[in-house]
Amino acid sequence: MSFTVLIPARLASTRLPNKPLADIAGLPMVVHVARRAARSQASQVVVATDSPAVLDACTQHGVRALLTRADHPSGSDRLAEACDLLGLPDDATVVNVQGDEPLMDPALIDAVAAALAQRADCVMSTAAHALHSTADFTNPNVVKVVLDRLGTALYFSRAPLPWWRDGMTSAWTDGVAALPSPAPLRHVGIYGYRAGFLRQFPRLEPAPIEQLESLEQLRVLWHGHRIAVHVSDTVPGPGVDTPEDLERVRQLIGPRA
């Protein structure tokens, strides 16, 4: 199995300015992400950024990086440009690891790539893990995914899905936190693509359900394509969206990289 890891790293961030360059144990966060990804089975790991400062930081630490256009509306558009800059063939597998995931498990990267390799009927792959917290299940910031019997995504939503019609209502009424078995699934924001589809994706018409839920992956389902989902037995390490997240990750990584 051969695949490329692409890491989109956009410098601007509303909640955490200059996020890719945030210092964690003496290294920029994006370097941590790239080094973790390099421990996977990927044939190459490349950062795709809109910032010369991020490009320079990566170069200084031996991480390959590409400078992409600054006007991309989404990370998928940036990755599509990176595929062209790298000259990847349409049948090449690309795994998108977000630039704010310095604790990403290399084994999960491999599993997402393998999930796509095993499903010729799918244009994308992603990951999920079981949810055991009622608070997370009802939290709109925690994205849920529902699968068919083959492990293909039926729907992604910020709503609590699937809704446990009989048990959930009585559990809340009785004041008891409970979730159905098997447990609902939390979506993990890591994606595998075939490069040809990644080039096509930005040209697809945005979907009404995508705009309602603010979930870009729903565009794929709305246009009739399939997404394979690897269900992980473990919960991935936390990503970084806020200053509080950054401090938590600093504590987990420790004072030395």
Side-chain angles (χ1 to χ4, degrees):
M1 181 177 62
S2 176
F3 64 93
T4 295
V5 168
L6 291 180
I7 302 170
R10 179 172 167 266
L11 191 61
S13 173
T14 303
R15 289 183 287 182
L16 187 59
N18 300 323
K19 182 163 63 170
L21 300 178
D23 182 274
I24 301 175
L27 292 173
M29 178 162 58
V30 69
V31 172
H32 281 279
V33 177
R35 289 186 175 181
R36 294 279 292 193
R39 290 161 54 186
S40 73
Q41 297 176 24
S43 57
Q44 60 180 339
V45 176
V46 184
V47 173
T49 183
D50 62 348
S51 166
V54 174
L55 182 71
D56 290 345
C58 289
T59 301
Q60 290 172 16
H61 294 284
V63 173
R64 187 178 180 187
L66 299 171
L67 190 62
T68 58
R69 298 198 335 254
D71 60 348
H72 287 305
S74 72
S76 300
D77 296 84
R78 193 174 313 285
L79 296 183
E81 182 188 356
C83 286
D84 291 337
L85 292 173
L86 291 169
L88 296 180
D90 282 349
D91 61 352
T93 297
V94 173
V95 177
N96 170 14
V97 176
Q98 299 299 328
D100 56 6
E101 296 282 352
L103 295 175
M104 177 59 66
D105 184 357
L108 185 60
I109 298 173
D110 293 336
V112 169
L116 185 58
Q118 294 162 6
R119 294 289 301 273
D121 60 320
C122 295
V123 297
M124 282 178 59
S125 60
T126 190
H129 65 82
L131 265 177
H132 299 291
S133 163
T134 304
D136 284 342
F137 186 55
T138 56
N139 184 347
N141 294 315
V142 175
V143 178
K144 277 67 70 173
V145 59
V146 179
L147 310 182
D148 69 10
R149 66 182 181 87
L150 298 177
T152 316
L154 292 172
Y155 193 67
F156 298 86
S157 182
R158 298 182 181 280
L161 292 178
W163 182 257
W164 190 19
R165 189 196 66 173
D166 298 325
M168 188 63 74
T169 302
S170 61
W172 282 348
T173 300
D174 297 339
V176 178
L179 287 176
S181 180
L185 296 174
R186 177 179 189 164
H187 176 234
V188 179
I190 178 174
Y191 297 97
Y193 301 86
R194 291 191 173 86
F197 180 74
L198 188 50
R199 292 183 171 102
Q200 175 190 357
F201 179 79
R203 299 192 297 270
L204 294 177
E205 177 189 356
I209 53 173
E210 168 195 358
Q211 295 169 327
L212 283 172
E213 296 254 20
S214 192
L215 295 174
E216 193 177 64
Q217 64 269 34
L218 288 174
R219 188 185 314 179
V220 180
L221 302 184
W222 191 75
H223 282 277
H225 300 290
R226 293 183 172 185
I227 301 175
V229 181
H230 166 75
V231 179
S232 174
D233 293 330
T234 59
V235 178
V240 177
D241 289 318
T242 66
E244 293 76 19
D245 295 338
L246 178 60
E247 186 56 36
R248 180 165 61 251
V249 168
R250 283 172 171 161
Q251 295 297 321
L252 290 170
I253 290 178
R256 298 174 63 110

